Amino acid sequence: MAFNQQDTECMALALKLSKLGRGSVGANPMVGCVITRDDNIIAQDYHRHYGESHAEVNALDQINHKAHNCNVYVTLEPCSHQGKTPPCVKALINANVSKVFVATLDSNPKVSGSGVRLLRENGIEVEVGLLENAALEVNRGFFKRMKTGLPFVTSKIAMSLDGRIAMKNGQSKWITSDASRNDVQKLRSQNQAILTGSGTVLNDNPMLTVRIQELNSNPLRVVIDSNNQITDKSLNIFSNDSETLILNESNTKILENGKLNLESALETIGSLGINNILLEAGSGLNGAMMDAGLIDEFVIYTAPIILGSDAKPMMQIPLKEMSEKISLKIIELTQVADDIKIRAVPL
């Protein structure tokens, strides 16, 4: 179907609204909803908090659930099952809506097409696919976890122009600018968890918290600790700012080399309802995650400095031949103060 400009603008607004739920909807997807009558917007809202009403119900509340001759634009297929809240499909049917535009189907097996089917069975016209790619991007972590059980992994790296992340003695404060480090705080707030390795914890003693108060986000801190080294409860990783999960042989599969099975570690994290996780680690864990094919995206802050050949590389991956090179696709390139911010995905 060819969607008109009004339809596209309404769904674009619903997508913008959906992003307001980032950091507060937990394991749920971010969803926005817009309701129109005679081409005029009469209600708009989004899923605000985990366990509370979904976007459709919040929008219907604004018009007392009286939606005769109304079009509804929703960024994800309305749920058809009883979860922490009643099914949104039932609310739309009871409100007597005329037509529902759905950006994309829900990959949750409890929904997955049944929401659209129930709407149609009750005489409501449904169109699917309006701005679908944008909707898939908004909830990329949710869709990945539903399909694979694994969260979407973004690796954040701060490096010099010659690809180094720390001096040989471990010094890394500070490679990038204040502006880049503030941008990292925003990046942390967009993820439900922050993943690091025991080496980073012992060497740097990081907090791994969101230090911009108005962002109001406290991601779970997760540490890969293959050798059970994290025992000192006075480390910053155990501060009261957020919860901390230590992954070791007691709760994660171990490989023959004595290292944690990283895919198993991500499965454990995914089982907690974590859709998006930010990897902030040294070259060892970054290299191991990349080698295992577990990094979905890179956000690399590159500073205009040179640290030299003795400094630590971005990743420990001992490639020997040019044919072994790892290719990335740059999807965004911006300047942050004097630094260059690169978003890239593995090919």
Side-chain angles (χ1 to χ4, degrees), residues 10-34 44-50 52-59 62 72-79 81 85 88-89 92 100-108 111 134-140 142-143 275:
C10 287
M11 188 62 80
L13 174 58
L15 285 165
K16 183 177 180 180
L17 289 167
S18 73
K19 297 175 185 177
L20 297 176
R22 191 186 303 276
S24 61
V25 298
N28 289 345
M30 295 174 281
V31 181
C33 180
V34 170
Q44 55 182 286
D45 218 312
Y46 62 99
H47 180 32
R48 294 170 176 266
H49 297 284
Y50 180 73
E52 297 182 4
S53 296
H54 291 181
E56 301 94 319
V57 173
N58 286 336
Q62 297 175 15
V72 175
Y73 299 83
V74 62
T75 58
L76 186 69
E77 178 182 11
C79 62
H81 66 289
T85 60
C88 294
V89 164
L92 292 168
V100 178
F101 291 84
V102 175
T104 188
L105 297 179
D106 193 340
S107 58
N108 185 339
V111 184
L136 291 171
E137 176 66 18
V138 167
N139 283 307
R140 61 190 187 180
F142 173 78
F143 288 119
N275 296 322

Side-chain angles (χ1 to χ4, degrees), residues 223-238:
V223 183
I224 299 291
D225 185 23
S226 298
N227 298 316
N228 300 312
Q229 299 179 87
I230 307 302
T231 57
D232 183 357
K233 296 300 181 179
S234 69
L235 290 166
N236 288 334
I237 200 76
F238 293 111

Side-chain angles (χ1 to χ4, degrees), residues 301-317:
Y301 298 86
T302 305
I305 59 174
I306 303 293
L307 295 184
S309 58
D310 284 345
K312 296 183 178 182
M314 169 180 159
M315 284 188 181
Q316 290 181 17
I317 301 182

Side-chain angles (χ1 to χ4, degrees), residues 185 188 191-192 194 205-213 215-222 233-245:
Q185 300 303 310
R188 286 179 177 177
N191 288 268
Q192 294 162 269
I194 302 173
N205 196 21
M207 295 284 292
L208 295 183
T209 55
V210 177
R211 292 190 289 276
I212 299 178
Q213 192 170 6
L215 292 176
N216 192 28
S217 177
N218 293 295
L220 173 71
R221 297 174 292 199
V222 185
K233 296 300 181 179
S234 69
L235 290 166
N236 288 334
I237 200 76
F238 293 111
S239 71
N240 293 327
D241 303 273
S242 182
E243 295 183 14
T244 299
L245 172 64

Side-chain angles (χ1 to χ4, degrees), residues 179-339:
S180 288
R181 296 199 297 279
N182 283 334
D183 198 63
V184 169
Q185 300 303 310
K186 298 174 185 176
L187 186 61
R188 286 179 177 177
S189 72
Q190 294 167 2
N191 288 268
Q192 294 162 269
I194 302 173
L195 177 65
T196 194
S198 56
T200 297
V201 171
L202 295 174
N203 293 331
D204 299 342
N205 196 21
M207 295 284 292
L208 295 183
T209 55
V210 177
R211 292 190 289 276
I212 299 178
Q213 192 170 6
E214 54 266 31
L215 292 176
N216 192 28
S217 177
N218 293 295
L220 173 71
R221 297 174 292 199
V222 185
V223 183
I224 299 291
D225 185 23
S226 298
N227 298 316
N228 300 312
Q229 299 179 87
I230 307 302
T231 57
D232 183 357
K233 296 300 181 179
S234 69
L235 290 166
N236 288 334
I237 200 76
F238 293 111
S239 71
N240 293 327
D241 303 273
S242 182
E243 295 183 14
T244 299
L245 172 64
I246 306 298
L247 294 179
N248 51 37
E249 61 184 3
S250 69
N251 52 24
T252 308
K253 296 177 183 177
I254 298 286
L255 297 175
E256 292 180 0
N257 61 6
K259 298 291 186 180
L260 287 191
N261 182 315
L262 294 175
E263 184 170 351
S264 173
L266 290 182
E267 287 174 353
T268 298
I269 297 166
S271 70
L272 301 175
I274 301 296
N275 296 322
N276 299 282
I277 189 165
L278 184 64
L279 174 62
E280 291 196 53
S283 56
L285 183 54
N286 257 305
M289 289 282 288
M290 188 65 188
D291 194 45
L294 297 174
I295 295 177
D296 297 294
E297 178 184 72
F298 289 96
V299 177
I300 303 171
Y301 298 86
T302 305
I305 59 174
I306 303 293
L307 295 184
S309 58
D310 284 345
K312 296 183 178 182
M314 169 180 159
M315 284 188 181
Q316 290 181 17
I317 301 182
L319 306 180
K320 294 179 172 59
E321 302 291 337
M322 184 61 73
S323 60
E324 298 177 290
K325 67 181 182 293
I326 298 170
S327 297
L328 306 177
K329 178 183 179 181
I330 295 176
I331 56 177
E332 186 179 350
L333 191 65
T334 55
Q335 187 161 351
V336 182
D338 292 331
D339 306 328

